Amino acid sequence: MATHRRPTGPPAPDGTGAAAGSVETTTLLAVVPPKNPLVKTAPSASVRTIFRAFWPDTASFRVRLVLSLLLVGVPPLLAATGIYLVKILIDDVLTPRDLNRFPMVAAAFLAVTVAEGVLSFVDEYLNAWVAERFVLVLRSRVFGHLQGLSLTFFEKHQLGDIVSRLSGDVSAIEEMMLSGLNQALTYLFQILFFGGALFFLDWRLALAALVAAPGFLLLARFFSRRIKDASRERRRRAGSITAVAQESLHNVALVQAYNQQHRESARFHRENLGSFTAQLLATKLEALFAPFTDLLEAVGMLLVVGIGVRELIAGRMTLGSLLVFLGYLTQLYGPISGAGHLANSIYSASAGAERILEVLGTEPDVRDPADPVPTPRILGAVRVERLSFRYPGSPLHTLRGIAFQVDPGETVAVVGASGAGKSTLLRLLMRLHDPSSGAVRLDGVDTRSMRVADLRDNLAVVLQ
């Protein structure tokens, strides 16, 4: 039996692979990933690709999803109505000092307030139900897909990183697709209702107020791509931290036996320091975005106040109209600025979606044949014919030219040094891998001609 050793298990506690945790140098607006990362960055994907990939996961609760989206436009409409009631209160009650219309205005205020409260409760509960249901469906789908992947995938990816994708990255997809969509529609309705109210009150003043609007969009466009890059690195680092922790704690007996606790602690610290750097970069970008939007909002507000006061003095505008106009404008700048923040958040969350797409895009190496051979109860005749196997990426064969036969009822022991290929041979018998050449036959049938489930239903194994 010709054999070659294949490195298995976690990196050695003597510091091998420690460079993967080294901290890269970052600048204010760019992310420079390390040369040999412990967890690699997932391939980039567009927002359209992400929505197309995960929208089918909403099929089982789409009626509730559509209902939650339809309710989005009602609260902004009620809010716009409530603000307009202020104009009536000032111009028709306070200014002329006429209390005859006050009961009607007060009743309208109460009705709007109660309606907003009821709808807010229904909307918040429904949105939470839809969001959690989506996470449940998608997380179960990803976990089920992982169960069907070949061992090669788990040998290439850190277990801690896979767990990180199942938890944080799945939640990020929900934030992007459902919560993000809900928030985007809320902003859209707010802009429509509040912007329409501005033009209804004074279209010339409304045009002056919207001078700052393009600035919000340009700022969002400038920052969004940079925030996405920083968020991608931040999520990759989160997977690295979980991977190092799981790997080290799973092998704590080995670490302690070789007295390598300090080296493992240093490796964990390096990954955390990399996460710290990536987090700070993302925070810098988000913190820079806010002052610029505040400045644009202040410029627009001052411009409106200046023009509005002149119109008020000239008698072309009432005090109530001016105050309500400023109220609408304040409400309008919020969603315009929020849309920019939302775009940045969507690009940030898309980094997590890319990591899930990478998992779902991975196909198992071992698959059922197109026309499987019917498999009755197996008698147990095993024949191995010139079996050779090489792990992906390895230049050397783990097994080469193995041949033997085991008759039903016969007991055979396979012995050899650690790393000689005993476990690999067992994996090939169970078809956890397919051989590079040669064949494994059960009762004369090549195992690659059987359904994987039929084969394994006829086998029993104790891995320890």
Side-chain angles (χ1 to χ4, degrees):
M1 180 185 292
T3 63
H4 293 283
R5 287 176 178 262
R6 170 181 171 271
T8 59
D14 60 358
T16 304
S22 59
V23 180
E24 73 278 7
T25 301
T26 58
T27 60
L28 181 63
L29 296 178
V31 177
V32 183
K35 293 182 179 179
N36 299 302
L38 182 65
V39 174
K40 295 182 179 180
T41 302
S44 180
S46 66
V47 173
R48 179 180 299 178
T49 299
I50 293 170
F51 268 83
R52 188 183 299 120
F54 297 111
W55 185 252
D57 292 295
T58 65
S60 62
F61 53 90
R62 199 160 290 167
V63 173
R64 295 196 184 193
L65 172 60
V66 172
L67 179 59
S68 69
L69 295 179
L70 290 176
L71 289 176
V72 165
V74 180
L77 177 61
L78 292 175
T81 303
I83 294 175
Y84 193 80
L85 289 174
V86 174
K87 176 184 181 303
I88 298 175
L89 180 65
I90 294 175
D91 290 343
D92 296 346
V93 177
L94 297 180
T95 301
R97 299 182 181 183
D98 183 4
L99 295 178
N100 291 329
R101 301 190 65 180
F102 178 74
M104 182 186 66
V105 175
F109 264 120
L110 288 176
V112 169
T113 302
V114 171
E116 279 189 288
V118 172
L119 286 172
S120 295
F121 170 79
V122 174
D123 185 52
E124 185 173 346
Y125 180 83
L126 192 57
N127 286 335
W129 190 96
V130 168
E132 294 303 321
R133 188 70 180 180
F134 177 81
V135 171
L136 170 64
V137 171
L138 180 56
R139 189 169 285 156
S140 298
R141 173 189 167 195
V142 176
F143 186 79
H145 184 80
L146 286 169
Q147 292 291 323
L149 292 181
S150 304
L151 293 183
T152 305
F153 174 85
F154 297 95
E155 291 162 354
K156 291 181 178 179
H157 293 79
Q158 297 284 342
L159 180 58
D161 178 52
I162 295 174
V163 173
S164 177
R165 298 188 192 211
L166 271 175
S167 54
D169 292 336
V170 169
S171 298
I173 296 173
E174 186 283 319
E175 293 173 7
M176 174 182 179
M177 289 193 55
L178 300 187
S179 297
L181 178 60
N182 187 287
Q183 193 65 57
L185 288 176
T186 299
Y187 289 151
L188 176 62
F189 281 115
Q190 287 176 336
I191 291 172
L192 288 176
F193 291 141
F194 298 142
L198 291 181
F199 279 93
F200 175 76
L201 289 172
D202 191 317
W203 66 269
R204 291 166 298 183
L205 198 58
L207 289 177
L210 294 178
V211 168
F216 290 110
L217 300 179
L218 292 176
L219 280 174
R221 184 178 181 84
F222 176 80
F223 280 95
S224 59
R225 181 60 59 182
R226 292 162 178 81
I227 289 178
K228 181 178 181 179
D229 292 339
S231 299
R232 184 183 290 122
E233 176 65 8
R234 180 174 55 186
R235 292 200 174 274
R236 188 192 66 79
R237 286 291 188 176
S240 297
I241 291 172
T242 310
V244 171
Q246 186 275 334
E247 177 185 283
S248 183
L249 295 177
H250 181 71
N251 297 279
V252 66
L254 181 65
V255 172
Q256 293 179 357
Y258 284 88
N259 198 29
Q260 296 297 313
Q261 297 94 320
H262 294 298
R263 287 182 180 270
E264 287 298 291
S265 296
R267 192 159 71 103
F268 185 72
H269 175 73
R270 280 193 291 270
E271 290 300 330
N272 274 277
L273 194 57
S275 176
F276 169 79
T277 304
Q279 179 66 52
L280 278 186
L281 177 58
T283 303
K284 281 181 182 178
L285 291 168
E286 292 168 359
L288 277 173
F289 182 75
F292 283 113
T293 57
D294 291 343
L295 178 61
L296 285 174
E297 185 175 338
V299 170
M301 185 68 70
L302 290 174
L303 180 62
V304 169
V305 170
I307 299 175
V309 170
R310 188 183 65 179
E311 294 292 301
L312 181 63
I313 294 174
R316 291 188 293 266
M317 196 173 198
T318 65
L319 177 60
S321 296
L322 178 59
L323 292 177
V324 169
F325 192 97
L326 294 176
Y328 280 130
L329 184 59
T330 303
Q331 295 295 319
L332 180 64
Y333 279 154
I336 291 177
S337 175
H341 285 284
L342 179 62
N344 295 337
S345 299
I346 288 176
Y347 278 110
S348 175
S350 66
E354 291 167 352
R355 286 161 50 84
I356 297 297
L357 282 176
E358 183 184 28
V359 173
L360 294 177
T362 304
E363 296 292 337
D365 300 327
V366 176
R367 305 182 190 180
D368 288 330
D371 188 18
V373 175
T375 307
R377 182 174 180 80
I378 293 176
L379 298 178
V382 179
R383 184 178 178 183
V384 176
E385 301 176 345
R386 301 184 59 82
L387 189 68
S388 297
F389 180 75
R390 180 175 61 190
Y391 282 97
S394 173
L396 303 176
H397 281 82
T398 303
L399 299 173
R400 185 194 298 271
I402 307 300
F404 64 90
Q405 182 168 336
V406 182
D407 294 326
E410 186 177 2
T411 301
V412 174
V414 180
V415 297
S418 177
K422 303 183 298 297
S423 297
T424 300
L425 177 60
L426 177 62
R427 292 179 177 186
L428 292 170
L429 292 175
M430 298 184 65
R431 210 183 164 209
L432 296 174
H433 296 292
D434 280 334
S436 303
S437 62
V440 177
R441 298 185 183 276
L442 287 180
D443 295 345
V445 179
D446 191 328
T447 56
R448 287 169 294 190
S449 300
M450 303 177 180
R451 289 181 65 250
V452 175
D454 291 341
L455 170 64
R456 295 174 187 169
D457 282 345
N458 283 277
L459 299 176
V461 61
V462 179
L463 295 176
Q464 281 291 338

